[in-house]
Structures are given as structure tokens and as C-alpha cells.
Amino acid sequence: VYLVAVYMLYRRGWVQRVLSPRQRAWLMMGVMSIIGAFWGVTTWMAQAAGGDLSVLFLAACVTAGIAAAAMGFCNSCWPVSAAHYLTVVPLINVGFVLHGGPFAIIFAVFSLVYLLFLLQFSRAAEVSVMRSIWLRFENTALVERLREQTAQADEARAQAEVAKAQAEAASTD
């Protein structure tokens, strides 16, 4: 219900009109944390329901797929993606630790490595987006400067032509 309400507020433009960009980022961090917690708790439920490591591993793989799918949505803002990943992966690990055994511990270690990969990848994606935006504004400034210089050169050429015409007129008189 919370996620549908947030979606509707975004869809109708209320969030963009009322909240500042920083507040929107906090809202998205909260939303992605809730989604991450939901999928992370799914592994606990799978562990409690079956108790079998294969069921827990399957639930963790599905949850990891959900986390990977979230990359496209939230990687351009690192705090939002970190909020999601830091709720999903540790909760998956709790399911593995509760299960116990050597394979569960190995899966927990692998999922922590996966968390580090997700965090690093999302940080790199955010840097790439920020650099792209910065380059766009830099290119816009360069184009504007070029327009100004072109206008100055055109004006100087026009003045030179007027001076030349005046000099020719004065020499023929």
C-alpha cells in the first residue's frame, strides 16, 4: 500500500512540486529500503517454511536477481541504491546464518562479496551519471562561449567592411 501511494504521488506530480530534490532522495531511500527489507525477509520466510538449504538458496537467488534488477532503477543515486542493497543482502545473510552449516556460511560469504560488488558498481554508475551531467553543462557553456566569440568576430568583420568602404570612398574623392 505504501509503495502504491508513493507511486501515485509521483505519477500525479505532487512529489516533484512539493519536495526538494534532497527530500525526494530521502523518500526514495526509504522506499528502496522497504522494498529491500521485504525481499530480504522473504529469505527468512523461506528458511522458516522449509528449513532446507536449497529452498533458502533459491529464495536468495531470486532476491539477488531482484537486487540486480534494482540497479537500472536506482544506481544513478548511490544513497538510494545503497539503502536497497544494505537491507536486502544482510537480511539474506541472516537467513543463511540461522540455517547454519558450512554451505550456508559459504553462501553468506558469497552474498557479502555480491553486496560489495553491488555497492561498488552502483557508486561507479553514479559517478558516470554525474560526469555525464557535468560534461553536458560544460559543453553547453563551451557552445555559448563559441556563439559569443562568433558574434564578436562577425561584428568586427562588419566594422572592418564599413571602415574599408569608407576608406575607398575617401580615396576616390
Side-chain angles (χ1 to χ4, degrees), residues 34-50 55-64 66 87-88 91-92 95:
I34 290 171
I35 292 171
F38 170 77
W39 286 107
V41 169
T42 301
T43 60
W44 286 358
M45 289 189 275
Q47 192 270 339
V55 173
L56 180 59
F57 182 70
L58 178 63
C61 287
V62 169
T63 305
I66 297 296
T87 52
V88 169
L91 290 174
I92 291 171

Side-chain angles (χ1 to χ4, degrees), residues 42-158:
T42 301
T43 60
W44 286 358
M45 289 189 275
Q47 192 270 339
D52 185 16
L53 186 60
S54 61
V55 173
L56 180 59
F57 182 70
L58 178 63
C61 287
V62 169
T63 305
I66 297 296
M71 283 182 179
F73 174 71
C74 61
N75 269 1
S76 60
C77 183
W78 191 82
V80 173
S81 59
H84 179 70
Y85 301 143
L86 290 172
T87 52
V88 169
V89 177
L91 290 174
I92 291 171
N93 282 338
V94 169
F96 284 131
V97 170
L98 289 176
H99 187 278
F103 289 117
I105 300 304
I106 290 170
F107 290 149
V109 169
F110 283 150
S111 67
L112 288 176
V113 170
Y114 182 63
L115 171 66
L116 294 175
F117 166 77
L118 289 172
L119 291 173
Q120 178 57 35
F121 185 81
S122 65
R123 180 69 179 135
E126 180 194 40
V127 167
S128 176
V129 167
M130 297 295 282
R131 177 101 173 113
S132 174
I133 292 169
W134 181 79
L135 285 173
R136 180 171 181 210
F137 283 114
E138 182 181 17
N139 287 343
T140 302
L142 287 173
V143 168
E144 186 59 36
R145 227 177 315 149
L146 181 60
R147 283 186 186 138
E148 290 172 5
Q149 290 175 353
T150 303
Q152 289 172 354
D154 288 341
E155 185 178 327
R157 186 179 50 229

